[in-house]
Amino acid sequence: MPLSGGRTIWLLGPALVAGVAYLDPGNVASNMTAGAIYGFLLVWVVVLGNVMAWLVQYLSAKLGIVTGKSLPEILGERIGSRWARRGFWLQAELVAMATDIAEILGGAIALNILFDLPLVVGGLITGAVSLAVLQLHGHGRERIFERLIISMMFIVVIGFSAGVFLSPPEPTDVAAGLLPAFDGSQSVLLAASILGATIMPHAIYAHSALARDRFPRRPQAAVPRLLSATRWDVTIALTIAGAVNLAILLLAATSLQGRDDTGTLEGAHGAIAEVLGPVIATLFAIGLLASGLASSSVGAYAGAEIMHGLLRVRIPLATRRIITLIPALLILAFGVDPTQALILSQVVLSFGISFALIPLVYLGTRSDVMGDHQNRWWTTLVGVVVAALLVTLNLTLLYLVFTGSG
């Protein structure tokens, strides 16, 4: 496709694929739990996280478009020490595996709800389907991969948003939730979980690679137009993802708050069926399944890119898929509460944000990396503030959890 003409709409896509990461089962568990326990208290966290995510994802895509390389590739080139590079890869890999746990568990729970399949079998099916979807990426088939992921994304939107239209919240309650506040250490834990599920490290790594793959032979003169289209792409993707995440929390706050049976996704499904009817509950389960399948595919793509960029190693996707499936399958096999594992996996993601975000902001200031497209001072300042907020929240979380305060 020539970049010199045509409509901007045909340049959209990478952000919508990366945006699936913002609608994974970990988001569902975190937002559903937050709404059911604390009502509208953490609405502000969802909104703030989505605003910060817009900047983060734009900077990631910009890096991929301007340099023609992904963030892991650039870090692999610039980290001189082999052991430092391996250490950075290890933490990024652990974050990617935490992501995979959330996505595989979500798909397994959805298959159990819909078809009464054992959780381990559901996990295997989710992993296998995600691998099949991932095989579509590459060899000039990026658009097919994008269309399939985006189609799943719209299934997720319908499945997770239907209930809030049937039982809408009071506007005054939503407005009250926009005022920043916490209620003990558990609410801070959930806030970190929501942010970990919203600003996801693997989505930062993946978006730069998706933008690189989408425009591999872009002429330098086309970069400004691609960046303009990317701003629209990110805005559309994050508007959709933010609205759905907010809808999940509002659904729980409006219809499920105070119930004793919403501590698990299965319990939440049953509560939705009881309160809003079986149709809404079935749509919720279908949305959860599409979420697990789509986000697992994107997560596996990100994991492969992390390994290739930082270690300069590629292993067969099937081999990697089997290895990264093991932790999730062990959780399912040993009877660990899958919903609690989902929430804790999002906290792990929250701690990995800084390792992806700080280098992203720093590289954007470098003229030897970005050339004439290096970030302006105010963009860098906002990026630093975002990183500082996230680090502060994580340090506060550690203090509250290990001291038992709140």
Side-chain angles (χ1 to χ4, degrees):
M1 179 189 63
L3 295 178
S4 57
R7 293 177 295 177
T8 299
I9 191 172
W10 299 114
L11 303 178
L12 307 181
L16 289 167
V17 174
V20 166
Y22 294 84
L23 295 172
D24 81 337
N27 291 78
V28 183
S30 297
N31 291 318
M32 188 72 71
T33 302
I37 296 177
Y38 294 105
F40 301 92
L41 178 70
L42 298 180
V43 165
W44 68 274
V45 178
V46 177
V47 175
L48 177 64
N50 210 63
V51 171
M52 293 192 294
W54 187 97
L55 175 65
V56 172
Q57 293 307 133
Y58 173 68
L59 293 180
S60 176
K62 180 181 178 181
L63 182 72
I65 290 171
V66 172
T67 66
K69 298 177 182 179
S70 69
L71 177 58
E73 281 181 310
I74 297 174
L75 291 174
E77 294 172 356
R78 298 179 74 89
I79 300 176
S81 167
R82 176 186 301 178
W83 289 107
R85 191 168 63 250
R86 288 176 176 175
F88 196 96
W89 164 79
L90 180 60
Q91 64 80 27
E93 190 68 45
L94 290 174
V95 166
M97 292 182 74
T99 303
D100 214 35
I101 288 174
E103 293 155 353
I104 297 299
L105 291 181
I109 292 171
L111 288 170
N112 176 261
I113 291 172
L114 289 169
F115 306 110
D116 201 27
L117 291 177
L119 289 174
V120 174
V121 174
L124 286 170
I125 292 173
T126 303
V129 172
S130 68
L131 176 60
V133 172
L134 188 60
Q135 296 288 353
L136 294 174
H137 192 277
H139 307 292
R141 296 177 296 186
E142 286 81 7
R143 290 293 302 201
I144 298 174
F145 177 77
E146 283 182 8
R147 288 167 184 163
L148 182 56
I149 296 296
I150 292 170
S151 297
M152 291 186 189
M153 182 181 188
F154 282 106
I155 294 174
V156 173
V157 170
I158 295 170
F160 291 158
S161 302
V164 81
F165 287 101
L166 188 64
S167 179
E170 291 293 333
T172 52
D173 292 333
V174 179
L178 292 173
L179 298 176
F182 291 112
D183 184 12
S185 60
Q186 179 65 18
S187 67
V188 180
L189 177 67
L190 279 171
S193 180
I194 291 170
L195 286 176
T198 302
I199 308 173
M200 305 184 77
H202 81 286
I204 300 174
Y205 298 124
H207 201 168
S208 60
L210 288 164
R212 174 205 64 194
D213 293 347
R214 184 68 145 71
F215 310 111
R217 294 178 295 277
R218 83 284 181 275
Q220 195 63 28
V223 170
R225 184 184 175 209
L226 291 178
L227 293 178
S228 176
T230 295
R231 285 190 285 271
W232 280 104
D233 197 21
V234 175
T235 299
I236 294 169
L238 269 298
T239 298
I240 294 172
V244 174
N245 281 319
L246 188 57
I248 294 169
L249 188 148
L250 295 180
L251 171 65
T254 303
S255 302
L256 307 180
Q257 187 179 4
R259 293 181 63 103
D260 297 329
D261 52 355
T262 58
T264 66
L265 287 174
E266 299 95 326
H269 170 265
I272 291 171
E274 183 179 332
V275 175
L276 301 177
V279 173
I280 298 298
T282 300
L283 288 174
F284 173 82
I286 293 173
L288 182 62
L289 177 59
S291 168
L293 294 175
S295 58
S296 183
S297 301
V298 176
Y301 169 83
E305 183 61 36
I306 289 168
M307 176 173 284
H308 170 65
L310 290 166
L311 299 186
R312 299 160 193 170
V313 171
R314 287 195 186 275
I315 63 175
L317 282 175
T319 303
R320 180 180 174 82
R321 177 78 284 186
I322 291 171
I323 293 172
T324 56
L325 266 177
I326 292 174
L329 294 178
L330 288 175
I331 289 174
L332 294 172
F334 285 101
V336 177
D337 179 1
T339 302
Q340 189 62 29
L342 278 171
I343 295 173
L344 291 177
S345 74
Q346 303 310 297
V347 177
V348 174
L349 298 186
S350 183
F351 289 118
I353 290 170
S354 300
F355 290 98
L357 181 55
I358 292 174
L360 177 67
V361 174
Y362 170 73
L363 290 170
T365 68
R366 302 281 304 188
S367 59
D368 58 332
V369 175
M370 303 296 288
D372 295 336
H373 301 285
Q374 68 186 102
N375 296 333
R376 298 175 183 176
W377 69 267
W378 58 266
T379 303
T380 301
L381 177 61
V382 175
V384 169
V385 170
V386 168
L389 284 172
L390 293 170
V391 171
T392 300
L393 176 62
N394 289 333
L395 292 176
T396 303
L397 170 66
L398 282 175
Y399 173 79
L400 291 174
V401 169
F402 287 107
T403 63
S405 303

